[in-house]
Amino acid sequence: MRSSKSRSLLLIFWVATHTFVWSAQSTGPLVLIQDQSPVKKSKKAGTPAVIRPRKKAESKRVITIGQSAALSGNLQKYQQEITFGIEACLGKINHHGGIRGHKIALKVLNNNSNPAQAAANVEQFLEDGIDILLGCAGNRNIKAILPYVKNRKAALCFPWGCSLDVDNSSIPYMVHGQTTQRLHIRKLVSYLANDLHHTRIGIVHSDSSFGVMNAKYAQQLFATYTADPIEVTLCSYNSNTADVTDALATLNKVKPHAILFLSTSRPTAKIIKGIGEAGNYASDFVGNESNYFAPQQLDSRDIKFHYSSAVPALDQVQYPIVQEYLEASRKYTPRAMPNSLSFTYYINTKLLSLGIDAVLAEGGTVTRDTIITALDKIVNKDIGGFIGSFNRDKRTLYPINVGIVKGSP
């Protein structure tokens, strides 16, 4: 049995590694408030409770943004990299004096990948006077947050999740970054058919309604290639357990030459490993941005996974924004390895900062209303070679363009 002194030391170590608060007056470059402790649950998951009177969320020189974060569960790795990208950008901004003299803080509340907790976190943010949310991840978590966004209680900026609700362009307090899934699917289908010239393709997707819909959309696109018909096999996996048994059995039976993954990294890695063990090596693996970390879960370094991305590849150093990100990542998040997902949220945070700057330039206060209005006005803004331009129909600040990143992210 550990002594009281040992337990105290362990507690101190846990607190040091799980919670940190840097104030605007600290010598550190980044204002970041992270709080992983649970907050009270909402009366009904996903339903806004009565919003209490707003507290003052910011001092005259600190602007606080909220993040209901999936710091545990299947989305933990994705959420961690999202936060690293935000942290690197805020580090650079705050190190250079902030935005018009205002430091930017990110307050993070852990939702444990629990939609009810995600909703409760938003209630806590609103009670604290924080009504701008950034980088929330996970389809179910975002769906639980949406009632607050639809009721114009909070602005949701750059969520990372895929659902029909999130892709709804009619939500005025929503701002997207990485474009919609259908743009990624169109690019991936074209890449497999026109660039790689495959005629026998497997499509791996979740069994959720959104996953099935996306897979059928890809199948319809492949059917348009009538000159050289493409044989397509759909394979679904359990979206709750990531059980790929049935999908793997189907793929090992039909032996496709290439596989399109409309899935997350864990089931993707399981499938690639499983078909390899069976001796059925497809020549190409491609997927959407949810597959960033599949290659890291595979033993073989010979497997190259190509994926769609709405941001430049990290080896495209001709873009000043790429060089800026790599430098900021090394300086402000040295514990993190640069990758495309982190880079995506570096760009997202940089775009959000443009809106903050516009509000402050007019002498305004940064709130859900003023930030949405400011982001709506961004047109053809160059940030290091990446062009930000708001599209009201899609509610996105990204150019309507998706590219293919070859090799591991």
Side-chain angles (χ1 to χ4, degrees):
M1 183 178 294
R2 294 186 178 91
S3 66
S4 177
K5 182 178 181 181
S6 297
R7 288 195 296 272
S8 297
L9 289 173
L10 286 173
L11 178 60
I12 292 171
F13 175 77
W14 187 91
V15 171
T17 56
H18 285 74
T19 304
F20 50 95
V21 180
W22 291 344
S23 70
Q25 289 75 33
S26 71
T27 57
L30 173 63
V31 179
L32 180 65
I33 307 169
Q34 179 159 327
D35 178 7
Q36 298 184 16
S37 60
V39 299
K40 54 184 176 297
K41 294 182 179 179
S42 60
K43 295 178 181 179
K44 184 178 180 182
T47 302
V50 176
I51 303 301
R52 301 169 181 81
R54 289 167 54 89
K55 296 179 181 178
K56 194 170 184 180
E58 58 189 66
S59 72
K60 292 182 179 180
R61 294 297 174 184
V62 179
I63 298 168
T64 305
I65 309 300
Q67 183 186 66
S68 180
L71 298 176
S72 60
N74 294 337
L75 294 171
Q76 181 179 12
K77 177 64 174 173
Y78 296 98
Q79 187 72 78
Q80 177 183 347
E81 299 303 331
I82 286 170
T83 304
F84 279 148
I86 296 171
E87 185 179 346
C89 189
L90 292 184
K92 180 177 177 62
I93 289 171
N94 290 331
H95 181 73
H96 290 86
I99 301 175
R100 298 185 183 271
H102 293 70
K103 296 293 182 72
I104 312 299
L106 179 72
K107 182 169 184 178
V108 182
L109 293 179
N110 187 7
N111 60 43
N112 292 304
S113 296
N114 182 331
Q117 189 62 56
N121 287 348
V122 178
E123 290 182 19
Q124 183 66 54
F125 285 136
L126 293 174
E127 183 178 348
D128 293 339
I130 300 168
D131 55 11
I132 300 173
L133 308 177
L134 172 64
C136 303
N139 303 345
R140 295 188 305 135
N141 297 330
I142 294 171
K143 190 172 183 178
I145 293 171
L146 279 181
Y148 301 93
V149 182
K150 290 179 178 179
N151 292 339
R152 306 193 179 199
K153 299 294 184 183
L156 182 58
C157 298
F158 309 113
W160 194 80
C162 308
S163 72
L164 289 174
D165 294 315
V166 174
D167 280 344
N168 189 337
S169 61
S170 66
I171 304 175
Y173 277 45
M174 175 94 74
V175 176
H176 294 288
Q178 303 89 287
T179 72
T180 61
Q181 278 299 299
R182 291 208 165 191
L183 290 175
H184 286 266
I185 293 171
R186 288 202 290 271
K187 183 64 177 181
L188 290 164
V189 168
S190 174
Y191 180 60
L192 282 166
N194 294 325
D195 295 84
L196 301 181
H197 306 290
H198 284 295
T199 57
R200 192 159 70 192
I201 298 169
I203 300 178
V204 174
H205 62 94
S206 75
D207 59 4
S208 69
S209 57
F210 191 67
V212 172
M213 181 189 70
N214 284 335
K216 289 184 176 179
Y217 178 65
Q219 186 179 39
Q220 291 170 2
L221 292 177
F222 280 124
T224 63
Y225 292 88
T226 54
D228 197 3
I230 298 174
E231 178 185 342
V232 174
T233 302
L234 302 185
C235 306
S236 68
Y237 66 91
N238 189 299
S239 58
N240 294 320
T241 64
D243 184 353
V244 300
T245 304
D246 292 341
L248 188 56
T250 300
L251 290 170
N252 280 328
K253 180 179 179 180
V254 300
K255 299 180 177 62
H257 297 157
I259 301 178
L260 169 58
F261 289 94
L262 302 178
S263 54
T264 54
S265 297
R266 188 158 66 113
T268 295
K270 285 182 178 181
I271 294 267
I272 294 176
K273 185 177 180 181
I275 63 175
E277 290 173 345
N280 300 321
Y281 293 97
S283 60
D284 288 295
F285 303 109
V286 304
N288 58 18
E289 58 180 5
S290 298
N291 292 278
Y292 281 131
F293 306 111
Q296 298 176 14
Q297 301 178 45
L298 299 167
D299 297 331
S300 174
R301 296 182 180 273
D302 296 330
I303 296 175
K304 296 297 183 183
F305 192 98
H306 299 176
Y307 61 96
S308 58
S309 178
V311 301
L314 294 185
D315 60 358
Q316 292 181 294
V317 292
Q318 67 270 26
Y319 287 93
I321 189 66
V322 173
Q323 299 180 49
E324 179 185 318
Y325 161 72
L326 294 174
E327 179 183 346
S329 180
R330 286 192 296 268
K331 188 169 184 178
Y332 303 112
T333 57
R335 63 196 182 282
M337 181 68 68
N339 61 73
S340 293
L341 180 55
S342 171
F343 179 40
T344 296
Y345 274 86
Y346 185 93
I347 287 178
N348 290 344
T349 308
K350 186 123 181 167
L351 291 170
L352 181 62
S353 73
L354 295 179
I356 294 174
D357 180 75
V359 173
L360 295 177
E362 296 180 357
T365 301
V366 179
T367 67
R368 62 186 181 243
D369 301 291
T370 59
I371 197 66
I372 289 295
T373 300
L375 294 176
D376 183 82
K377 294 179 180 178
I378 293 177
V379 177
N380 296 328
K381 185 67 175 181
D382 186 344
I383 53 171
F386 184 89
I387 307 299
S389 192
F390 193 77
N391 182 306
R392 288 189 179 90
D393 292 334
K394 300 294 184 181
R395 299 213 60 79
T396 177
L397 259 170
Y398 275 37
I400 307 302
N401 181 46
V402 175
I404 297 294
V405 176
K406 300 179 180 180
S408 302

